[in-house]
Amino acid sequence: MDRLDAIGEAWRRERPDVDVGPLLLVGRLFRAVALADARLAAGLTGFELQSGWFDLLAALRRAGKPYQLNPTQLIQATMLSSAGMTKRLDRMAAAGLVERRPDPNDRRGTLVRLTPRGRRTIDAALPVHVANEAQLLAPLTKTERRSLDTLLRKLLAELE
């Protein structure tokens, strides 16, 4: 039993005419995401990364040398709004993790690049983060993980 079971029982008692199965499943997805986010953020505290910084550093690192992207590419890679991106980049630049440079291919554009400190930080944080994610999935067998991955991929393909 989890919190959602109690919610389901209450709804079945109060509204037996409504199938609340979808509400419970989506509720479990949201709850799992919230709990996982909190655990993963706690696992990165030793790297002095604020919420969401890991994803930006990871996107830049995945881009390969010279570890830079324009803000639009970063928004697509991290699913942030442009306002959220600007604020986050300002803080990360102040922390010495990224730097902004003029885009030589676009006079009005800028590129965001990992600094050497940013690259050291993401390279050190990545194995810790992946180990924390593995720990989150530890209650599931390999077969269950593959099934969950397949089902979530199918759901995301439809939603996106």
Side-chain angles (χ1 to χ4, degrees):
M1 294 275 292
D2 62 22
R3 288 183 184 189
L4 280 296
D5 288 321
I7 291 170
E9 286 179 19
W11 275 123
R12 282 189 284 278
R13 182 187 66 244
E14 295 299 316
R15 290 295 309 268
D17 58 311
V18 177
D19 174 12
V20 294
L23 179 139
L24 301 176
L25 180 56
V26 172
R28 282 188 177 95
L29 283 171
F30 286 166
R31 180 126 174 87
V33 166
L35 293 170
D37 275 348
R39 277 221 193 135
L40 293 173
L44 293 173
T45 56
F47 298 97
E48 299 178 19
L49 295 176
Q50 293 182 21
S51 178
W53 288 15
F54 177 89
D55 290 337
L56 278 172
L57 294 175
L60 291 167
R61 182 65 172 92
R62 285 191 312 265
K65 284 186 177 184
Y67 311 113
Q68 67 185 18
L69 296 169
N70 67 42
T72 300
Q73 292 168 317
L74 275 173
I75 288 168
Q76 292 169 345
T78 59
M79 298 174 282
L80 279 174
S81 68
S82 60
M85 179 65 68
T86 299
K87 196 182 311 183
R88 195 166 291 174
L89 289 175
D90 288 344
R91 290 185 183 133
M92 292 175 71
L97 298 169
V98 299
E99 61 186 8
R100 291 185 177 104
R101 296 176 169 215
D103 186 340
N105 299 318
D106 179 357
R107 283 187 301 170
R108 295 176 297 166
T110 60
L111 293 171
V112 179
R113 179 182 285 191
L114 276 180
T115 63
R117 179 173 185 232
R119 183 169 175 203
R120 285 191 307 273
T121 300
I122 190 61
D123 283 349
L126 180 64
V128 172
H129 187 70
V130 171
N132 289 336
E133 290 178 326
Q135 188 63 36
L136 289 175
L137 298 171
L140 303 176
T141 66
K142 267 189 170 181
T143 301
E144 290 170 330
R145 288 182 205 185
R146 279 193 301 272
S147 295
L148 180 59
D149 188 54
T150 299
L151 293 170
L152 289 173
R153 183 177 282 116
K154 182 177 180 179
L155 179 61
L156 286 172
E158 183 63 31
L159 291 173
E160 292 176 343

